[in-house]
Amino acid sequence: MVGLLTSDTFQLLCLLENLQAETLDGPRVRESQEEIAELFHVSKGKLNPLMQSLVASGCIQKHRARSGYRVTPLGTQVIEHIGKLDRLERMMAKPTGKVG
């Protein structure tokens, strides 16, 4: 799961969560891989391994053959937890205003 924490993979997971639209059978990303690659500003060749990594980690799943992806509850938890860690890191980096 270490590969999941890489910046590109995490940023892609966040993009996919933002792209999800509500459908009759639940939320899903309707954009094609070509469209996702364009939105993510990478080639489809660079996107494919990132998508495969997210599928293998259980953070996203294919919705149905050729009909998009869905961010899983695990993927949502990963986004939430990394967001919390990021906020904590930023809080710790802020100057306290104390003069020693």
Side-chain angles (χ1 to χ4, degrees), residues 43-96:
S43 68
K44 192 174 173 198
K46 167 103 171 150
L47 181 72
N48 282 333
L50 296 173
M51 295 290 281
Q52 290 171 0
S53 172
L54 287 170
V55 169
S57 70
C59 288
I60 65 171
Q61 62 186 175
K62 283 195 166 263
H63 178 61
R64 287 189 195 138
R66 304 185 63 85
S67 71
Y69 292 88
R70 165 177 293 164
V71 176
T72 65
L74 175 63
T76 301
Q77 287 177 346
V78 167
I79 291 169
E80 290 171 1
H81 288 294
I82 291 179
K84 286 177 186 176
L85 290 173
D86 182 56
R87 286 188 296 279
L88 179 62
E89 182 179 45
R90 281 187 272 134
M91 283 177 34
M92 291 175 63
K94 283 183 184 178
T96 60

Side-chain angles (χ1 to χ4, degrees), residues 19-66:
L19 289 175
Q20 284 192 131
E22 200 57 48
T23 66
L24 291 176
D25 49 346
R28 71 179 170 103
V29 177
R30 294 194 230 186
E31 286 79 2
S32 68
Q33 278 201 4
E34 291 83 11
E35 292 168 317
I36 295 168
E38 188 175 314
L39 290 168
F40 199 55
H41 306 289
V42 296
S43 68
K44 192 174 173 198
K46 167 103 171 150
L47 181 72
N48 282 333
L50 296 173
M51 295 290 281
Q52 290 171 0
S53 172
L54 287 170
V55 169
S57 70
C59 288
I60 65 171
Q61 62 186 175
K62 283 195 166 263
H63 178 61
R64 287 189 195 138
R66 304 185 63 85

